[in-house]
Amino acid sequence: MMDQLESVRKQFLADLESFPENSKEIEDFRSKYLGRKGSVASLFTLMGKATSEERPTLGKELNKLKQDLTRQFEERVSTYLVAHQKGEDDSIDLTLPGKTPRIGSLHILEQTLSEIKDIFKSIGFHVAYGPEVDDDYHNFSALNIPEHHPARDMQDTFFIDPTTVLRTHTSNVQIHLMEDEDPPIRYIVPGRVYRNEAIGYKSYCLFHQVEGIYINEKVSFAELKGCLEYFVRQMFGPKIKMRFRPSYFPFTEPSAEVDMWDEERQQWMEILGCGMVDPAVLENVGYDSKKWHGYAFGMGVERIAMLKYKINDIRLFYNGDIRFLEQFS
Ligand code: PHE
């Protein structure tokens, strides 16, 4: 029985090779195979002769054959129709210029991020990522930010529940990386962070940071300065004005911030915080703080892009205005 199915299929395929070129012959072709009295329909009479064991498989095969042949026939017909239409219909002007496809481009923040990554990769940093929703411990406690610290205040932090937060900085990943790996380590960590702050031209409820962390046996503040100076010169060119300003973070000691001169506004703009990793943080992750030392930094990607590309409002990154985005494609 299966042989009979196969021979109909073979014949159909052979006929398909010389598919007719006019509608009358096409109709004949159709009724020969797929019509009410066509070869496929007559194969269905085999069902009557099949044993009850054979019947289910035979039924399946018959239906499959019918679908297959119908599909192939229809494909051929539509190719025929398209070819015919073109030849006969001279209302189509083939000399008209085509439609230019619109080409997308990377968002300016994504471009800035990849510039930042490339600079740090060129001096030995690996790239890592970490969670945006994290527990209180990784975002705060492990970083030496005790429970009563103002940074934990509802003012700054979006809470998911009393002990889960949208991370307020990428520093949470410092802890994850050190928990997972033994020193020495050298990473940058790009990612989104969230803060419940007053929105203004340079602050938004979400923004991006790139965290850096380097832990080794001998690491000095001079190296931190050298590394960040190198980064800034690569990013903005040799003439840029920057300054280190002493600062305070619970997880670094000593700490500093880097400001860059904002030509547009004629004032300093803070772009990053940094410092030597506090021994208490190293102990929290089980590193021996007598042996291992390191530095860390966290920079604001939007602010860097604002300075580099003279963008005067952080909200422009997020409202998807094509007129803004197109300037950077
Ligand atoms: N996490 C700090 C912030 O968001 C920046 C920072 C990172 C400071 C690493 C020191 C070391 O402001």
Side-chain angles (χ1 to χ4, degrees), residues 74-100:
E74 280 167 358
E75 271 173 23
R76 236 3 121 82
V77 171
S78 56
T79 320
Y80 165 84
L81 287 175
V82 171
H84 243 64
Q85 175 116 7
K86 273 202 191 123
E88 281 169 9
D89 188 352
D90 52 16
S91 67
I92 294 175
D93 182 352
L94 297 174
T95 65
L96 279 175
K99 286 188 195 144
T100 322

Side-chain angles (χ1 to χ4, degrees), residues 175-187:
I175 304 300
H176 287 288
L177 289 169
M178 292 191 285
E179 281 173 343
D180 293 350
E181 277 176 53
D182 291 331
I185 61 166
R186 190 184 337 224
Y187 282 104

Side-chain angles (χ1 to χ4, degrees), residues 168-171 174 195 209 211-212 249 251-252 255-257 270 272-275 296-299:
T168 56
H169 50 191
T170 41
S171 302
Q174 287 187 27
R195 282 188 203 173
Q209 288 189 332
E211 192 81 8
F249 297 101
F251 38 94
T252 48
S255 305
E257 281 172 312
E270 177 206 324
L272 66 84
C274 63
F297 55 83
M299 57 181 69

